[in-house]
Amino acid sequence: MSGVELTDSGLVVDREPNGFDELAIEFSTLAAQHDIDHVFIAGYVAILTGRSRSTEDIDVFIQPCSEAEIDAFVAELEAADYWGPAMPLSAMYDNLSSGTNIWVAPDGEMSPRLEVKFPGDEFDRASLSNAISASIDGETIPIGPLELQIAYKLALGGRTDLEDAAHLYTLFGETLSTARLETWVEKLGTEDEYARLTEL
Amino acid sequence: MPDSQNSEANATVGEIAREPRFDAVVRWVEYIQNNPPEVWGPQQNAVVDGQIDSAAAVDRSPEEIRKIRSFADDVLAEREESSEE
């Protein structure tokens, strides 16, 4: 049963894709065509793994790139009928290089959308460099390592974040690496929240 | 007028609203684990796709969305400050 499995080769999701999955898959395909390393993180990872909630955006880190590389990627996105609902996609490099994000959505739409960022700290960079593969509907996308997602959600501490952490922890249980999870928990200083999680 | 089942008699409305619903999360995970994806997948996708459809029906500008987020952030920050005092 279940249809969501964490294997040695990554996450396998065996349900029909929803609107967020379709958006993530299409963006990932376009990024891969430009050899732009990227990783989906945060709430979308919980939703991909079956969490019954929604969100307004899909958070995705892309590797820091040159202005020319970003401009080429933007041209590809626009050719594929994407736009920037908050700011023109032509501002992508300026936004990303100044540490802010940029929204990317299907042309004329506001939601669902992607919130694209360059990694900003060691946890962001760790998500990118330790990404695992997630397969759904015959497609593969990179997602942040589940142990880091859990610890980071505990650190964020909002209700939805804590529930996301609980979802991932209780769903994957013993298939998670306790050593890696506890390393991230310690780095993020979320020992108390983690202790509560292990009691669920 | 609570619509949640995790209310506690001595909690304020704000406390109830902020309390994670771990029981509901765990029940849903058990449901996923005990049923094939053909059963739980469409239910989950109804939640996800339902919100996408609803959002599409309400034409909010980026500025409106930022204002909504900013309001929530401000209220939460004020509550956090007052709880630390």
Side-chain angles (χ1 to χ4, degrees), chain B:
Chain B
M1 194 174 59
D3 60 0
S4 169
Q5 295 183 359
N6 64 353
S7 319
E8 293 178 18
N10 296 324
T12 67
V13 171
E15 285 167 344
I16 292 166
R18 292 196 300 278
E19 185 66 18
R21 295 165 297 187
F22 288 133
D23 289 351
V25 172
V26 171
R27 270 200 298 275
W28 176 250
V29 167
E30 287 170 351
Y31 188 74
I32 288 177
Q33 290 170 330
N34 294 323
N35 289 281
E38 293 79 11
V39 170
W40 62 262
Q43 296 175 54
Q44 187 213 358
N45 286 352
V47 173
V48 174
D49 291 332
Q51 191 218 307
I52 293 171
D53 292 343
S54 299
V58 181
D59 194 16
R60 287 210 182 275
S61 69
E63 188 53 35
E64 287 173 317
I65 292 172
R66 283 205 189 90
K67 275 185 187 168
I68 290 167
R69 285 189 174 181
S70 177
F71 160 76
D73 289 344
D74 289 349
V75 170
L76 290 171
E78 281 169 19
R79 280 184 178 164
E80 198 165 311
E81 277 173 23
S82 61
S83 68
E84 285 172 359
E85 286 170 1

Side-chain angles (χ1 to χ4, degrees), chain A residues 7-78:
Chain A
T7 69
D8 290 342
S9 56
L11 182 74
V12 180
V13 180
D14 189 23
R15 62 156 168 72
E16 290 295 312
N18 55 47
F20 286 109
D21 302 319
E22 288 164 359
L23 182 59
I25 289 166
E26 190 163 346
F27 180 89
S28 186
T29 302
L30 294 171
Q33 283 171 5
H34 283 257
D35 291 324
I36 293 178
D37 203 8
H38 58 285
V39 64
F40 297 96
I41 54 146
Y44 174 64
V45 173
I47 291 168
L48 175 66
T49 61
R51 171 100 149 96
S52 185
R53 78 164 176 91
S54 201
T55 180
E56 290 188 305
D57 39 38
I58 297 174
D59 292 306
V60 55
F61 291 129
I62 64 172
Q63 69 179 82
C65 302
S66 69
E67 186 168 6
E69 288 170 318
I70 291 294
D71 287 347
F73 182 45
V74 165
E76 183 85 27
L77 287 168
E78 288 176 337

Side-chain angles (χ1 to χ4, degrees), chain A residues 37-175:
Chain A
D37 203 8
H38 58 285
V39 64
F40 297 96
I41 54 146
Y44 174 64
V45 173
I47 291 168
L48 175 66
T49 61
R51 171 100 149 96
S52 185
R53 78 164 176 91
S54 201
T55 180
E56 290 188 305
D57 39 38
I58 297 174
D59 292 306
V60 55
F61 291 129
I62 64 172
Q63 69 179 82
C65 302
S66 69
E67 186 168 6
E69 288 170 318
I70 291 294
D71 287 347
F73 182 45
V74 165
E76 183 85 27
L77 287 168
E78 288 176 337
D81 288 332
Y82 284 88
W83 76 313
M87 194 159 285
L89 290 185
S90 56
M92 184 180 281
Y93 181 77
D94 286 344
N95 273 33
L96 298 180
S97 58
S98 64
T100 54
N101 59 54
I102 189 159
W103 290 357
V104 178
D107 201 11
E109 294 177 13
M110 184 73 75
S111 178
R113 61 177 174 264
L114 297 129
E115 196 166 299
V116 183
K117 306 169 202 171
F118 280 164
D121 60 26
E122 69 164 301
F123 305 106
D124 298 349
R125 287 188 287 276
S127 277
L128 192 59
S129 59
N130 296 293
I132 64 171
S133 294
S135 68
I136 179 168
D137 197 35
E139 305 285 347
T140 301
I141 57 174
I143 61 169
L146 299 178
E147 293 85 355
L148 174 53
Q149 303 308 301
I150 292 169
Y152 202 84
K153 283 285 184 180
L154 293 177
L156 288 173
R159 188 181 79 177
T160 302
D161 302 308
L162 296 172
E163 290 174 356
D164 284 350
H167 169 84
L168 293 169
Y169 184 80
T170 54
L171 181 62
F172 294 108
E174 292 171 0
T175 57

